Amino acid sequence: MKLKFIPFSLLLLLSFGISAQTELECKTKLSNFHVATKSKKYDAAYEPWLYVKNNCPDLNLAIYADGEKILKHKIETSKGEIQLSYVNAMLDLWLLRKEHFKSDTPEGEFDTKACQLQYDYKDELGKTSIELFECFDVAFNADEENFTHPKSLYTYFSLMVELFDEGKKSSAELFKNYDEVNEKIELEIQNYSEKINALVEKVDNGGTLTSSEENKKSAYESYLKNYSLIQGNMNIIADKRAKCDNLIPLYTKDFEVYQNDSIWLKRSVSRMYHKDCTDDDLYEKLVKQYDKVAPSADTKVYVATVLFKKGKDDEAYKYLEEAYKLEKRPYKKANIALRIGTILKEKGQYSKARNFLSEALQLNPSNGKPHFYIASMYAESAKDKSCGKDNFHQRAVYWLAAEEAQKASRIDPTLQSSVKAYVANYLAKAPTKEEIFLSGLSGKTIKIQCWINRSIKVPKID
């Protein structure tokens, strides 16, 4: 009987030896490919990485973090069937990572990466738009918190638009998708704005940013720029498909079902407001219901827009002030102040508008839009005779407008191209060098009168 167990014992020892040897080799190759990856020598890293992935998939998270970089390089430097094999290898890698390191593989991040890669190579993979949309839709609904990449948010929405245009999605589905994605973008903009504001506050208090903080600030600004860009593109696309003629029947039909749903009411009111469908009786009906179901700073602003339409400006202004007082969170309060400022600007109440826009700047200093709006109000007042005693002093307002607009681009990189065009326009309308010379005011500071009540230095000429 003992002799029968000898081969089995030897087999156990042999298998143990192979396992130990494999583990040792995996650790050695792990070190090799990790060092190579850090040096961006991805081709050299590929073979040792592949061995570790195939033989010890649960050894270290670096198998997946580095593997992603290695396969990304392989995809970018190959073509045809070989490239496609690396695309599929990347998709398999994310599935394997979820299997062995589930807690370190948030669905909203990695499932979205998989969806985006399939979208990027949809023709090669034979993927349809409906398949790809469903891929993103599942990822978004499963883990919205970690579904944050700007490109993927835009892809998700653009697929919905494509399906809507093909008659495969309804108007209600399109607007719902737009609202969800847009709200997510707003949340990310708030997140990065608050991070930048914390760094700005440090500098304002006399501190100096470390090199790490400078890098973070640049990264945050980059994300803000990308989010703002895709949000702008989404608005253009949605606006072409959201007309009062189709919004009003849609919301009228759905009102009875959703009249106590605060989210539906908020989205409906917001869309009608931004599409300027506020003359229709439905808008007032939605606003009043929204204020009844979920009274908030937002609802007070919308009520104010109804009152302005009816010519009840004094009552409307009280609602705006109430809205501002209700909101306590700095970022949200800044947005309320910005909205109130823009409403008052459109009403021609420039002094009150500037007060709210200035409050918005203090609460959210990384948003340059208030500077931009203040600059435009200055420019619009340039022909106001009460702002200057003569043509020269009135047109000097354009220097003030240009100066204010430039502040916007300095703090908000998303506005640089727009600001550049407006500043050039303002300066072209300001007094010429010849006029400065003849005025005798070169290099002197002059006072702008009227509601502006600011001073500006006349450019010095030789």
Side-chain angles (χ1 to χ4, degrees):
M1 290 293 292
K2 288 183 180 179
L3 289 174
K4 291 181 181 180
F5 284 100
I6 291 173
F8 181 65
S9 300
L10 286 172
L11 184 62
L12 280 175
L13 288 170
L14 183 61
S15 65
F16 176 78
I18 292 172
S19 176
Q21 183 180 352
T22 301
E23 184 178 352
L24 179 60
E25 189 159 2
C26 278
K27 289 180 178 179
T28 301
K29 290 184 182 293
L30 172 68
S31 177
N32 292 341
F33 80 67
H34 185 60
V35 170
T37 302
K38 285 180 70 176
S39 301
K40 298 184 179 181
K41 297 177 180 178
Y42 302 117
D43 290 326
Y46 181 73
E47 289 299 334
W49 165 78
L50 190 62
Y51 177 90
V52 179
K53 179 185 78 74
N54 291 339
N55 292 280
C56 312
D58 59 351
L59 180 63
N60 194 290
L61 190 59
I63 297 168
Y64 305 95
D66 289 351
E68 194 170 321
K69 296 174 185 176
I70 294 166
L71 288 176
K72 182 182 178 183
H73 167 77
K74 290 291 188 180
I75 291 169
E76 291 173 349
T77 57
S78 59
K79 294 180 180 179
E81 290 298 321
I82 295 175
Q83 184 185 59
L84 189 58
S85 70
Y86 288 129
V87 169
N88 283 315
M90 183 77 90
L91 296 172
D92 291 339
L93 182 70
W94 287 324
L95 288 174
L96 197 64
R97 173 175 174 142
K98 186 186 292 188
E99 179 184 341
H100 293 285
F101 292 91
K102 187 174 178 61
S103 62
D104 294 304
T105 312
E107 289 180 278
E109 179 182 351
F110 287 90
D111 286 3
T112 302
K113 283 183 179 182
C115 297
Q116 186 65 54
L117 186 61
Q118 290 175 80
Y119 177 84
D120 292 341
Y121 293 91
K122 59 183 177 181
D123 294 335
E124 293 85 348
L125 293 167
K127 295 291 182 180
T128 65
S129 295
I130 192 70
E131 287 176 322
L132 292 166
F133 174 79
E134 287 173 355
C135 182
F136 281 105
D137 196 48
V138 168
F140 186 83
N141 289 306
D143 184 15
E144 182 181 333
E145 181 181 354
N146 290 299
F147 192 126
T148 60
H149 199 284
K151 180 181 178 181
S152 293
L153 284 164
Y154 186 73
T155 303
Y156 179 35
F157 173 69
S158 65
L159 283 165
M160 167 58 84
V161 172
E162 184 180 332
L163 294 171
F164 170 78
D165 289 345
E166 292 174 356
K168 296 175 182 176
K169 293 290 182 182
S170 67
S171 295
E173 289 174 310
L174 172 66
F175 298 144
K176 180 176 182 291
N177 179 262
Y178 167 84
D179 288 328
E180 289 175 345
V181 175
N182 191 56
E183 286 165 10
K184 176 60 180 175
I185 291 171
E186 284 289 343
L187 194 62
E188 293 304 315
I189 289 175
Q190 175 181 344
N191 173 39
Y192 285 107
S193 295
E194 288 175 345
K195 288 180 177 180
I196 291 175
N197 290 342
L199 297 175
V200 170
E201 185 179 0
K202 179 180 178 180
V203 174
D204 288 345
N205 291 334
T208 303
L209 299 183
T210 64
S211 58
S212 174
E213 288 172 330
E214 287 285 3
N215 290 336
K216 287 180 180 178
K217 186 171 181 289
S218 295
Y220 300 156
E221 288 173 344
S222 177
Y223 270 107
L224 276 180
K225 185 175 182 178
N226 288 331
Y227 283 123
S228 296
L229 178 64
I230 66 169
Q231 188 176 52
N233 288 338
M234 281 177 57
N235 288 338
I236 292 170
I237 293 169
D239 285 349
K240 288 179 180 178
R241 292 157 179 82
K243 308 290 185 184
C244 295
D245 288 346
N246 56 31
L247 286 177
I248 292 168
L250 174 65
Y251 295 148
T252 299
K253 177 174 68 72
D254 290 346
F255 181 77
E256 291 303 318
V257 177
Y258 298 108
Q259 61 181 301
N260 293 312
D261 185 333
S262 61
I263 294 175
W264 182 87
L265 288 165
K266 175 186 177 182
R267 291 172 176 174
S268 302
V269 168
S270 177
R271 181 156 302 286
M272 290 192 71
Y273 172 76
H274 290 295
K275 286 303 297 177
D276 201 22
C277 307
T278 54
D279 287 332
D280 193 89
D281 291 341
L282 176 64
Y283 178 73
E284 183 175 350
K285 182 179 180 181
L286 289 169
V287 166
K288 289 179 176 177
Q289 184 67 10
Y290 182 28
D291 191 44
K292 176 183 175 183
V293 172
S296 66
D298 279 335
T299 65
K300 303 305 176 189
V301 172
Y302 288 123
V303 170
T305 65
V306 171
L307 293 170
F308 275 129
K309 285 282 184 182
K310 292 183 173 182
K312 300 179 179 180
D313 289 13
D314 290 341
E315 189 179 351
Y317 187 69
K318 288 178 182 177
Y319 267 93
L320 293 181
E321 288 186 316
E322 186 180 349
Y324 187 65
K325 291 175 183 176
L326 273 174
E327 186 57 68
K328 302 301 180 186
R329 295 163 293 181
Y331 181 85
K332 295 286 187 181
K333 196 175 185 73
N335 282 343
I336 293 291
L338 180 59
R339 286 173 64 192
I340 294 173
T342 54
I343 289 171
L344 293 173
K345 173 182 175 295
E346 293 304 314
K347 294 295 294 181
Q349 298 183 29
Y350 290 165
S351 182
K352 288 180 178 178
R354 183 174 60 185
N355 290 339
F356 278 104
L357 292 170
S358 297
E359 286 290 324
L361 281 167
Q362 290 183 24
L363 291 162
N364 183 18
S366 63
N367 185 357
K369 288 179 183 177
H371 282 304
F372 197 67
Y373 293 137
I374 293 171
S376 70
M377 290 192 296
Y378 288 160
E380 288 163 11
S381 301
K383 295 180 181 179
D384 188 339
K385 292 182 180 179
S386 67
C387 293
K389 61 183 180 180
D390 53 32
N391 181 267
F392 182 93
H393 283 76
Q394 289 163 24
R395 287 165 57 215
V397 172
Y398 287 116
W399 285 320
L400 188 65
E403 185 180 86
E404 189 72 28
Q406 284 171 332
K407 293 177 184 177
S409 63
R410 281 198 292 270
I411 65 173
D412 191 342
T414 67
L415 298 174
Q416 285 179 355
S417 58
S418 297
V419 166
K420 187 176 180 180
Y422 275 88
V423 167
N425 181 46
Y426 295 153
L427 293 178
K429 294 177 179 178
T432 64
K433 287 184 178 180
E434 183 181 359
E435 289 172 317
I436 294 172
F437 175 76
L438 293 174
S439 72
L441 295 171
S442 173
K444 294 183 179 179
T445 298
I446 60 175
K447 181 82 172 185
I448 306 296
Q449 304 296 326
C450 67
W451 72 272
I452 295 177
N453 193 29
R454 295 286 189 271
S455 296
I456 185 69
K457 189 174 183 179
V458 176
K460 189 173 183 179
I461 59 171
D462 298 327

